[in-house]
Amino acid sequence: MKNPATGDDCTRREHLQAIGALGAVGLGTAGGVRVTKARQSSGDKHRGDTLYSPPEGAPAPGAMYPRVERLEFSPGGNETLLATFEYYPSMSGGSEPYFPVYRSTDGGQTWSKFSEIHDQSGKDWGLRYQPTLYELPEETGPWPAGTVLAAGNAIPTLDDPDHVEEGETGELGDTSIDLYASTDHGESWEYVSTVVTGGPAYPHAGHSPVWEPELQLDADGNLVCYFADERQADDDGYNQLVGLKASTDGGRTWEDEEFVTAVPNGTDRPGMPGVVELPNGTYMAVYEVVGSDTVNGEVRVKTSPDGRDWGDPTDLGQQVLTDDGRRFINGPTITWTSRGGPDGTILVSAKQLVDGNRELADGNGEVLLANTNLDGSGSWTPVEAPLTFETESELGGRIFVGWTTPILPSPNGKQLLQMTSTAMNEDLCEIRYAERPLKLNKL
């Protein structure tokens, strides 16, 4: 494996450290964030509980990128939740990565291992990066309502397994966003299709990977997969964009790609999309934009009337910003709750909270940002997060901490569940979660 900063041979751990050093040009980290002692988060106010801790000696970063979904059609009722995350077994001896699935039957208070999603596509690459979960709210293609879909990035290791050292993963190959389905509420899984394929799994010029799937139904009941795409750089001048592909048959086949947000300036990198359907029938997308100094990880939102038409792709939407200039950067997720106003409240989470000078701001690692305007206009208000954690910059550049931080309201909106990856030791991350009352008094 080559060090992307020097071109020299390097191990997987050294590669992860190198791409962290590349900052926003590479993985969309918060490069350039300044830490001031007075503004550091306590990081231990509500540390929550541990969903999963990797064993000592596991490949870095251990575990990250959690996702959580409430099951409305489960026999256990809507208190049944499923969660998954990136999991890193050693590739020594030829083991393939997979997506573990955990289940809670008490609304997220306690969890247990439930199932595993393994690569059944015939590629035998292993399911490695960026899993997501989505329960179908209605019959879609061959799937009845209540079918749970999962999508994630299948990526092979190119090295001979016998030559991969214990605790390493080896050199990575091409990317493939694959779709899986479960008709028994997440207990067993079947391969459905490949949504889109891309180049090797390195976020640097010339590799053209695809990343970060997100699933949703559009206004016509078609299944849509949103994702980050680096494949158009050579021909059209895009560094990275957020695109979508739609399926009229429940994910068996996929139509041509459409753009959500894409700027052909060779620099800006919209990515890590999340999409939520709002009660007025519109859709809101959230994403990070990294690349240039003016958009170094900032979180933005834009709306669509149907989940397909997002307007001018070069319009980066509205920044998630408080009235005193605080803003989220990197790794956003989005949800909606019925509480907080006549139209409910949009909630956004992300990796770090900074001020206009890119110094860590009051509330970093401790708050979400909320907005009662369904178009995302106006200022966003900080509200207490269920889970608090020390963030990337407080930990000296631990880029995989807080990547990502999904949030899920209870059915009545009074409680909120949050998950994220937190530092377990100097090398590894673990997945932690917390559920607490959602306080929207300031809205």
Side-chain angles (χ1 to χ4, degrees), residues 130-132 134 149-153 176-180 193-197 210-218 222-229 231 241-248 250-251 253-260 273-275 307-308 310:
Q130 301 133 7
T132 193
Y134 180 65
L149 301 179
N153 221 327
S176 177
I177 294 177
D178 292 349
L179 180 70
Y180 287 77
S193 67
T194 292
V195 181
V196 61
T197 59
V210 289
W211 310 107
E212 304 151 352
E214 171 86 351
L215 299 173
Q216 186 65 255
L217 291 189
D218 69 14
N222 300 310
L223 181 64
V224 179
C225 181
Y226 306 87
F227 59 98
D229 188 352
R231 298 174 302 163
L241 59 87
V242 174
L244 68 85
K245 297 188 79 172
S247 173
T248 60
T253 60
W254 297 89
E255 298 177 356
D256 292 339
E257 184 178 2
E258 306 168 48
F259 291 171
V260 175
V275 177
R308 296 281 293 276
W310 295 91

Side-chain angles (χ1 to χ4, degrees), residues 82-101:
L82 296 181
T84 188
F85 49 88
E86 292 183 12
Y87 160 75
Y88 297 86
S90 172
M91 290 302 294
S92 177
S95 60
E96 290 184 351
Y98 59 87
F99 297 143
V101 177

Side-chain angles (χ1 to χ4, degrees), residues 388-410:
T388 65
F389 59 98
E390 289 183 293
T391 65
E392 171 187 335
S393 295
E394 293 173 309
L395 294 169
R398 291 288 299 276
I399 65 174
F400 297 114
V401 170
W403 196 329
T404 55
T405 57
I407 43 179
L408 183 68
S410 62

Side-chain angles (χ1 to χ4, degrees), residues 51-52 63-70 81-88 97-104 111-118 127-134 148-153 180 186 189 213-215 403-406 408 417 419-421 430-433:
L51 180 74
Y52 169 78
M64 58 180 259
Y65 209 100
R67 283 289 189 268
V68 62
E69 179 79 350
R70 184 179 305 279
L81 312 181
L82 296 181
T84 188
F85 49 88
E86 292 183 12
Y87 160 75
Y88 297 86
Y98 59 87
F99 297 143
V101 177
Y102 282 63
R103 184 176 69 166
S104 171
W111 294 83
S112 60
K113 180 77 174 291
F114 185 53
S115 65
E116 298 173 354
I117 310 175
H118 288 266
L127 294 170
R128 187 176 300 274
Y129 284 173
Q130 301 133 7
T132 193
L133 297 168
Y134 180 65
V148 183
L149 301 179
N153 221 327
Y180 287 77
W189 299 87
E214 171 86 351
L215 299 173
W403 196 329
T404 55
T405 57
L408 183 68
L417 174 73
M419 288 185 178
T420 198
S421 52
E430 61 185 1
I431 306 298
R432 297 187 70 85
Y433 69 94

Side-chain angles (χ1 to χ4, degrees), residues 41-386:
S41 166
S42 65
D44 59 2
K45 190 175 181 182
H46 303 304
R47 293 192 66 248
D49 297 300
T50 302
L51 180 74
Y52 169 78
S53 294
E56 292 291 338
M64 58 180 259
Y65 209 100
R67 283 289 189 268
V68 62
E69 179 79 350
R70 184 179 305 279
L71 302 190
E72 301 292 344
F73 293 87
S74 169
N78 57 19
E79 289 296 291
T80 300
L81 312 181
L82 296 181
T84 188
F85 49 88
E86 292 183 12
Y87 160 75
Y88 297 86
S90 172
M91 290 302 294
S92 177
S95 60
E96 290 184 351
Y98 59 87
F99 297 143
V101 177
Y102 282 63
R103 184 176 69 166
S104 171
T105 57
D106 55 14
Q109 297 180 54
T110 60
W111 294 83
S112 60
K113 180 77 174 291
F114 185 53
S115 65
E116 298 173 354
I117 310 175
H118 288 266
D119 185 353
Q120 304 169 38
S121 68
K123 297 188 289 287
D124 296 325
W125 288 3
L127 294 170
R128 187 176 300 274
Y129 284 173
Q130 301 133 7
T132 193
L133 297 168
Y134 180 65
E135 185 192 48
L136 289 173
E138 60 189 57
E139 182 179 349
T140 306
W143 313 115
T147 298
V148 183
L149 301 179
N153 221 327
I155 302 167
T157 291
L158 302 181
D159 299 294
D160 184 329
D162 293 334
H163 298 161
V164 178
E165 296 182 7
E166 187 67 27
E168 301 296 337
T169 56
E171 183 178 357
L172 302 182
D174 289 347
T175 47
S176 177
I177 294 177
D178 292 349
L179 180 70
Y180 287 77
S182 173
T183 56
D184 55 10
H185 313 290
E187 187 170 3
S188 63
W189 299 87
E190 63 177 286
Y191 170 76
V192 179
S193 67
T194 292
V195 181
V196 61
T197 59
Y202 298 106
H204 315 297
H207 290 293
S208 65
V210 289
W211 310 107
E212 304 151 352
E214 171 86 351
L215 299 173
Q216 186 65 255
L217 291 189
D218 69 14
D220 294 322
N222 300 310
L223 181 64
V224 179
C225 181
Y226 306 87
F227 59 98
D229 188 352
E230 295 193 47
R231 298 174 302 163
Q232 287 85 3
D234 293 338
D235 296 333
D236 300 317
Y238 297 103
N239 188 315
Q240 178 177 274
L241 59 87
V242 174
L244 68 85
K245 297 188 79 172
S247 173
T248 60
D249 56 9
R252 298 290 190 187
T253 60
W254 297 89
E255 298 177 356
D256 292 339
E257 184 178 2
E258 306 168 48
F259 291 171
V260 175
T261 180
V263 183
N265 61 6
T267 302
D268 291 341
R269 293 172 55 88
M272 300 193 76
V275 177
V276 63
E277 184 178 2
L278 300 175
N280 61 359
T282 65
Y283 293 72
M284 179 172 285
V286 67
Y287 41 87
E288 66 176 24
V289 185
V290 301
S292 64
D293 291 340
T294 57
V295 290
N296 193 359
E298 67 178 37
V299 172
R300 289 179 171 255
V301 296
K302 69 191 304 186
T303 57
S304 166
D306 57 6
R308 296 281 293 276
D309 180 5
W310 295 91
D312 180 1
T314 64
D315 177 6
L316 288 178
Q318 302 180 83
Q319 188 172 3
V320 176
L321 190 68
T322 68
D323 57 7
D324 62 358
R326 288 178 286 175
R327 73 285 308 274
F328 272 144
I329 55 173
N330 298 119
T333 58
I334 190 169
T335 193
W336 174 86
T337 175
S338 59
R339 298 185 68 236
D343 294 322
T345 303
I346 299 163
L347 297 170
V348 169
S349 63
K351 287 184 69 176
Q352 299 196 105
L353 186 74
V354 300
D355 61 21
N357 297 318
R358 292 192 65 79
E359 293 180 349
L360 292 183
D362 291 335
N364 175 56
E366 297 179 347
V367 302
L368 312 171
L369 295 184
N371 197 328
T372 56
N373 298 322
L374 296 185
D375 62 357
S377 62
S379 63
W380 293 69
T381 302
V383 298
E384 183 179 353

